[in-house]
Amino acid sequence: MNLVKPDSSYNQGQKPLVYSTIDANQPNGIGWYRDGENICYYQNSIKRKGGGFYHTLTFDLTFRNNNDEVYIAHCYPYTYSDSCELLNKLCTNETKDKIRKTILTKTLAGNDCEMVIITNFMSRPEEIAVRRAIILTSRVHPGESNASYLMHGTLEYLVSEDEGARYLRDNFVFKIIPMLNPDGVIVGNYRCSLSALDLNRQWSSPGMRLCPENYATKMMMRKTQDSRDILFYCDYHGHSRAKNLFMYGCSNMKADRLKERIFPLLFSKNSENFSLTTCNFAV
């Protein structure tokens, strides 16, 4: 395996994920579990363009059963089908007063890139009109499946009957794209789309031909700004080495240059799992 990072959490005790079909089909079977011995991540002799070398991950794995079908993964999988099933479960005729689903765009492979809108649709039109927007996206990097698990929990909470969720629906309009790179997820890419591009590096001037997901997202944001202010935007990611929860924010040299740090500060005050010192505001 040719990998790029100079170090890895595999050198700090992480093990690959394993799924045994035979073990999973037992009455008290297990699904994915961590396994492997003699795990090593090291620099190899293959040179990278622009300097440096690639790295290799090696490990030993002993299969428990004969004639088994075994899958190996880096992160717990969260598939495109998982995302579609969640949205189909949440977006029903009974929930149309708080969540509605639409297709943001078609991907290069013709898959749906879906978006949901969450707010209290039972409010008067003039009340909805003055609500500010919060935009959330996830899974622009296919290999960062942990981001989808966080988005899964976010969506379930926002449509729940929790008092905080009702307050959020009464005061904001959420526009959420749970999976920005469906094609990359489906084919098993780690970072790129079918255009072999890292979509998270294509936000400046994306085109529909190669980056329809980026283009449609930016158009959605522009149209949103025509009717309401966007209070907050957050793109969910996973990190290959860093611990805890943290946020990256844009560098801002204006008079309100500290505004990007307000939400992370509040987050750190309300969750012991959030690390303010790990945040970076020079992106």
Side-chain angles (χ1 to χ4, degrees):
M1 297 174 61
N2 294 325
L3 303 169
V4 175
K5 299 290 179 68
D7 194 12
S8 169
S9 54
Y10 284 105
N11 286 336
Q12 302 169 18
Q14 180 178 336
K15 294 184 176 183
L17 279 161
V18 180
Y19 182 95
S20 162
T21 303
I22 290 178
D23 288 345
N25 288 332
Q26 298 300 315
N28 295 315
I30 59 172
W32 291 94
Y33 60 93
R34 298 280 182 186
D35 202 2
E37 302 294 336
N38 300 319
I39 299 167
C40 188
Y41 181 92
Y42 58 92
Q43 178 181 298
N44 60 37
S45 59
I46 303 175
K47 293 184 177 181
R48 296 176 58 195
K49 291 181 178 179
F53 292 84
Y54 286 101
H55 293 70
T56 298
L57 171 67
T58 62
F59 54 87
D60 296 336
L61 185 63
T62 302
F63 298 105
R64 303 178 178 183
N65 310 296
N66 295 324
N67 303 313
D68 197 0
E69 187 173 334
V70 177
Y71 300 87
I72 302 172
H74 171 63
C75 293
Y76 287 95
Y78 193 103
T79 67
Y80 177 67
S81 297
D82 291 332
S83 180
C84 293
E85 289 173 7
L86 175 66
L87 296 189
N88 288 336
K89 182 183 77 171
L90 297 180
C91 302
T92 65
N93 189 56
E94 290 75 24
T95 61
K96 68 179 186 301
D97 293 336
K98 53 186 175 182
I99 180 171
R100 297 177 185 179
K101 180 177 65 170
T102 186
I103 297 174
L104 178 71
T105 189
K106 289 286 187 178
T107 68
L108 294 179
N111 295 301
D112 293 341
C113 182
E114 296 184 304
M115 180 178 74
V116 295
I117 302 174
I118 298 175
T119 194
N120 183 358
F121 290 102
M122 293 292 289
S123 304
R124 298 194 305 272
E126 57 269 26
E127 293 177 331
I128 298 177
V130 298
R131 290 174 187 164
R132 291 175 293 179
I134 295 175
I135 298 177
L136 307 175
T137 58
S138 180
R139 209 63 185 281
V140 68
H141 290 147
E144 298 169 6
S145 58
N146 45 355
S148 282
Y149 284 100
L150 286 175
M151 180 59 76
H152 187 117
T154 299
L155 289 166
E156 288 189 325
Y157 175 75
L158 287 175
V159 299
S160 73
E161 291 307 309
D162 182 88
E163 181 181 355
R166 292 198 302 269
Y167 174 85
L168 290 171
R169 293 196 300 268
D170 287 340
N171 289 275
F172 301 99
V173 175
F174 289 85
K175 295 189 176 183
I176 303 176
I177 307 170
M179 194 165 282
L180 265 173
N181 191 351
D183 291 350
V185 172
I186 290 169
V187 303
N189 287 351
Y190 185 78
R191 200 166 183 87
C192 297
S193 68
L194 287 188
S195 58
L197 295 172
D198 179 347
L199 296 184
N200 205 41
R201 301 294 183 269
Q202 309 301 316
W203 290 109
S204 295
S205 55
M208 276 296 292
R209 189 172 68 88
L210 293 178
C211 310
E213 302 90 348
N214 302 65
Y215 180 86
T217 300
K218 290 190 73 173
M219 289 300 296
M220 177 272 292
M221 290 181 174
R222 287 170 181 165
K223 290 180 180 179
T224 299
Q225 287 182 310
D226 290 340
S227 58
R228 67 184 76 249
D229 291 336
I230 297 176
L231 173 67
F232 182 73
Y233 168 62
C234 183
D235 185 29
Y236 291 21
H237 283 259
H239 200 283
S240 63
R241 291 173 294 169
K243 309 298 189 300
N244 304 311
L245 298 172
F246 56 92
M247 301 187 76
Y248 286 173
C250 296
S251 55
N252 183 356
M253 304 308 294
K254 300 178 181 178
D256 58 352
R257 62 184 180 84
L258 297 178
K259 68 176 183 179
E260 285 85 359
R261 309 186 187 198
I262 296 174
F263 183 80
L265 177 62
L266 295 174
F267 204 157
S268 69
K269 300 293 185 182
N270 287 276
S271 174
E272 62 182 10
N273 297 315
F274 189 88
S275 173
L276 187 64
T277 58
T278 312
C279 296
N280 185 334
F281 302 100
V283 178

